[in-house]
Amino acid sequence: MKPIILIGGGGHCISCIDVVEQTGLYQIIGILDLPEKLGQKVLNYSVIGTENELEKFLPECSDFLITVGQIKSSEIREIIFHKVMMAGGNLPVIISPFAFVSPNARIDDGSVIMHHVLVNSGAIIGKGCILNTKSLIEHEAKVGNFCHISTASIINGQAIVGDSCFIGSNTIVSNNTHITANTVIAAGSQVLKSIEYPGTYIGQPLRKIR
């Protein structure tokens, strides 16, 4: 198994640890987190440093997974992504063995595909994305860079989700709609029409609240 280091030790990290372990492809050698977390453990994996110490672990470990969560903003995940790349590290795609990803789909670097996700033919998933448990990405849908598609959400066929979006749990995005970048869709919402302006949206029918 290849060694891998996780970056970020919160709740999302706990879920990611299970996915990484289940793949059987990587051995987690530790977690990078905040300085005050040094020496603490997350599911028996020690915090061994901070994100500013990436170079210290190269080249002995060149693979990293960003395990910082994302709700309101993807900024922290984007910063870490670029730090890893600048340091010469790799951000592999991690796919749960309990997920289905069509061989005709494309998933870019640093994305994690959690348990029981379905990614159908022709779908494109950008860099640094989280496809959370039981989410569905239908045929020819496009998810931009640094998006979090939350649990049991559905992105229907040929829909486009722009960069740095958060799609809340159990949200349905209708086919052929376009959600502009930097948009937050609250849990349980329905997106029936394209969203042209970034902000926070909620409900059925959908309305902008910020």
Side-chain angles (χ1 to χ4, degrees):
M1 293 191 289
K2 296 181 66 177
I4 193 168
I5 293 174
L6 311 185
I7 307 176
H12 180 59
C13 179
I14 292 172
S15 296
C16 287
I17 285 171
D18 188 59
V19 172
V20 173
E21 289 178 339
Q22 291 294 325
T23 68
L25 300 174
Y26 297 94
Q27 175 63 49
I28 300 169
I29 64 171
I31 299 167
L32 305 184
D33 206 345
L34 300 173
E36 57 266 30
K37 301 291 183 66
L38 285 172
Q40 295 184 18
K41 289 191 174 185
V42 180
L43 295 183
N44 294 318
Y45 295 103
S46 296
V47 177
I48 58 174
T50 73
E51 66 186 69
N52 294 320
E53 299 176 298
L54 289 166
E55 291 88 348
K56 183 170 76 174
F57 301 98
L58 294 165
E60 287 80 6
C61 179
S62 59
D63 287 336
F64 297 85
L65 175 64
I66 301 169
T67 52
V68 174
Q70 174 185 335
I71 298 179
K72 292 183 179 179
S73 172
S74 64
E75 182 179 7
I76 295 175
R77 290 177 59 84
E78 293 184 46
I79 290 170
I80 295 171
F81 186 98
H82 294 301
K83 280 184 179 180
V84 173
M85 299 305 292
M86 290 293 291
N90 301 317
L91 289 156
V93 174
I94 304 294
I95 301 175
S96 164
F98 304 112
F100 171 78
V101 176
S102 167
N104 298 309
R106 190 186 87 201
I107 302 175
D108 288 343
D109 292 347
S111 289
V112 58
I113 314 301
M114 309 295 278
H115 297 322
H116 305 294
V117 170
L118 298 177
V119 181
N120 281 330
S121 184
I124 298 174
I125 311 300
K127 299 181 294 186
C129 289
I130 303 166
L131 300 190
N132 222 323
T133 307
K134 293 187 177 180
S135 58
L136 167 61
I137 314 298
E138 268 289 9
H139 63 91
E140 303 168 283
K142 296 180 181 179
V143 175
N145 300 322
F146 306 109
C147 289
H148 180 180
I149 310 300
S150 199
T151 51
S153 293
I154 299 173
I155 311 298
N156 276 299
Q158 300 179 325
I160 299 174
V161 178
D163 293 344
S164 306
C165 287
F166 173 80
I167 308 298
S169 297
N170 294 297
T171 290
I172 299 173
V173 178
S174 293
N175 61 301
N176 293 301
T177 53
H178 181 190
I179 298 175
T180 196
N182 300 297
T183 296
V184 173
I185 308 294
S189 298
Q190 284 190 335
V191 180
L192 303 178
K193 297 180 181 179
S194 292
I195 296 175
E196 299 181 17
Y197 303 103
T200 300
Y201 294 78
I202 189 170
Q204 303 180 29
L206 198 69
R207 65 188 187 280
K208 190 174 188 289
I209 59 172
R210 293 188 187 90

